[in-house]
Amino acid sequence: MFTQHDQLKSSYDVVIIGAGGHGLAAAYYLARDHGITNVAVLEKGYIGGGNTGRNTTIIRSNYLTPEGVQFYDESVRLWQDLSQDFDLNLFYSTRGHFTLAHTDAAMRTMRWRAEVNKHFGVQSEAVDAQSVQEAVPMMDISCGGHAPVVGALYHAPGAVARHDAVAWGYGRGADRRGVEIHQKTEVLSIETTDSGSGPAVSGVMTNRGHISTKRVLCAVAGSTPRLLSMVGLTSPLYIHPLQAMVSEPVKPWLDPIIVSGSLHVYVSQTARGELVMGASLDPYELHATRSTLDFAESLSMHMLEMFPFLGDVKVVRQWAGMADMTPDFAPIMGKTSVKGFYLDSGWGTWGFKATPVCGKTMSHTVATDQPHALITGFGLDRFRRYALTGEKGAASVGH
Ligand code: FAD
Ligand code: PYC
């Protein structure tokens, strides 16, 4: 699907670090919408091999803050046309999304989210336990008597899509417009010079040679702290493993996506019948993608509280990604104090759904050197100003 480039050029107008969905989407829109095609996307591994190919593909816009709801809503809108844009089936499938409440306090948060969502035209509503039971007749809504479901936030646009195809679609679209994608190309250092008004990017060193450039977009998710240290920047990011697992295929029985923060479990069923399941972050910092038996056991236990009939179903695979977590559970996007160094990070456990809107807004920001209006609430400097964009109540499962 992609052109092989044997050599790097000595200079590019823009260098994008990371060929995950975010880096490739930015490359695609830089070429398509801004006519900037002298671009290299540098990837130390392979296309989509980071969190893009490891996530559980949930797409939704039922967030809590005005900044978040509008941003993710625009992403859901962009998703609708992507298969057509790419001429590639992304298996985008609208399922509806239930976030279960097991206590009155949780139900209050669901109502709050529903009201904020409705205010911005996003379809979300608080529903009772009976509605959950009707949508998922095979669920034990008493959850084994431990944590009965009292209601839920229902978000009709909730969807899933094929994650690796998203990276391939953006990559192929960028490649066809002249962008160079270099796999197995690791950025080892980033050079800056003194511009008179502070440091400015002047080049990058890779394991395949040196590149001169004045603009670098960093979209490396779990490797962000390492890349920031190359330009002398710091952030409040912590890297935690996020694990997931998938079952053998079973007859279709689950149409919507189900999330329970209290039981630390979420699940959807693929078109092939597999159950894609996940839980909370591992509770400590670790820059690694190992999986643990403890995770598989505890997630299975909670799954069986809700769906006891799955007792004989086999887990066939488990894996992990490195989630770049911010204190307020909102991303970090935009310009930085290093001229020409743009950041797209802090995507933690929630960035797959944002891939299209990140591509659109970051390409605008790099092309014009002005932050796109939709990302002004997400700048790195918000931590210095104590002006957080608190999304913890809507991030996904309990963290
Ligand atoms: P990545 O896809 O991680 O790409 C970054 C790339 O940078 C990698 O390929 C890496 O190799 C490369 N790189 C790093 N350092 C260098 C270097 N020095 N030089 C060159 N290349 C480098 N989000 C949702 O919206 N919905 C979900 O259901 C969901 N579920 C998730 C489940 C799991 C288990 C995990 C781990 C994450 C989940 N997420 C979810 C989050 C989502 O996957 C990420 O936020 C998103 O994929 C980030 O995309 P990215 O392109 O920024 O990063
Ligand atoms: O962002 O919806 C989400 C999500 C679900 C699981 C991991 N992230």
Side-chain angles (χ1 to χ4, degrees), residues 313-371:
V313 172
K314 294 183 181 58
V315 171
V316 293
R317 240 179 6 261
Q318 69 177 112
W319 65 91
M322 294 194 298
D324 41 335
M325 300 299 297
T326 53
D328 56 3
F329 289 64
I332 305 176
M333 299 179 74
K335 296 173 67 170
T336 66
S337 56
V338 177
K339 189 168 169 45
F341 186 78
Y342 305 90
L343 193 55
D344 174 62
S345 74
W347 284 110
T349 70
W350 50 85
F352 174 66
K353 67 181 76 61
T355 306
V357 73
C358 286
K360 272 273 188 185
T361 53
M362 286 311 301
S363 62
H364 169 97
T365 304
V366 171
T368 62
D369 199 35
Q370 292 300 324

Side-chain angles (χ1 to χ4, degrees), residues 16-25 41-60 63 72 79 97 159-160 163 167 182 184-190 205-207 218-224 226-227 230 240-245 257 266 268 276-279 281 289 295 319-324 344-355 358 395-396:
I16 296 175
I17 312 176
H22 287 221
L24 292 168
V41 184
L42 309 180
E43 168 55 52
K44 73 174 176 181
Y46 60 93
I47 286 173
N51 289 350
T52 295
R54 294 164 187 268
N55 68 73
T56 44
T57 83
I58 295 172
I59 296 164
R60 60 189 172 88
Y63 277 77
Y72 293 104
W79 276 103
H97 181 285
V160 288
H163 47 17
H182 292 271
K184 294 188 184 159
T185 306
E186 180 171 3
V187 171
L188 303 173
S189 61
I190 302 172
M205 180 56 85
T206 79
N207 60 334
C218 178
V220 297
S223 301
T224 304
R226 186 176 304 225
L227 271 289
M230 294 179 188
H240 288 246
L242 183 67
Q243 304 193 48
M245 68 187 195
I257 302 155
Y266 64 88
S268 67
V276 178
M277 299 164 272
L281 293 162
T289 55
F295 165 81
W319 65 91
M322 294 194 298
D324 41 335
D344 174 62
S345 74
W347 284 110
T349 70
W350 50 85
F352 174 66
K353 67 181 76 61
T355 306
C358 286
S396 62

Side-chain angles (χ1 to χ4, degrees), residues 193-205:
T193 48
D194 188 355
S195 68
S197 56
V201 166
S202 57
V204 300
M205 180 56 85

Side-chain angles (χ1 to χ4, degrees), residues 287-305:
H287 296 235
T289 55
R290 56 90 185 99
S291 304
T292 63
L293 179 60
D294 181 50
F295 165 81
E297 283 182 343
S298 110
L299 176 52
S300 302
M301 182 181 79
H302 290 308
M303 278 292 292
L304 291 176
E305 284 171 337

Side-chain angles (χ1 to χ4, degrees), residues 260-274:
S260 167
S262 305
L263 295 185
H264 300 277
V265 57
Y266 64 88
V267 57
S268 67
Q269 188 170 26
T270 69
R272 261 201 308 223
E274 301 129 321

